[in-house]
Amino acid sequence: MEDSQISGLSVFASGVWPVELSVGKRVDARHRVSVQASVDVSTGEVRFYVDPQAIEILTRDADRR
């Protein structure tokens, strides 16, 4: 796996606003990471942000596939 990128993630929405990332089929709360988003008002591009400390969860789960 490349160190600078984690791919093959799933996006989960709960309610209207909260979004979480998960690797594969691991959907319980211990394996999901909260996502924040921003929108560039001039282009409409959406950017997602994940707390760098939470990336450890995704990396650990990706390595277990």
Side-chain angles (χ1 to χ4, degrees):
M1 186 172 97
E2 186 178 311
D3 291 334
S4 64
Q5 182 175 324
I6 300 172
S7 60
L9 301 176
S10 301
V11 178
F12 292 87
S14 175
V16 176
W17 296 280
V19 175
E20 298 173 318
L21 290 176
S22 174
V23 173
K25 296 180 180 179
R26 298 175 187 267
V27 295
D28 64 337
R30 296 177 298 142
H31 298 280
R32 294 189 311 235
V33 174
S34 295
V35 175
Q36 300 294 319
S38 64
V39 176
D40 183 320
V41 295
S42 63
T43 65
E45 180 181 18
V46 176
R47 295 181 190 100
F48 291 104
Y49 170 81
V50 175
D51 184 342
Q53 293 178 348
I55 291 173
E56 180 182 337
I57 294 166
L58 298 174
T59 303
R60 180 189 65 223
D61 288 349
D63 290 343
R64 290 184 183 168
R65 280 202 220 179

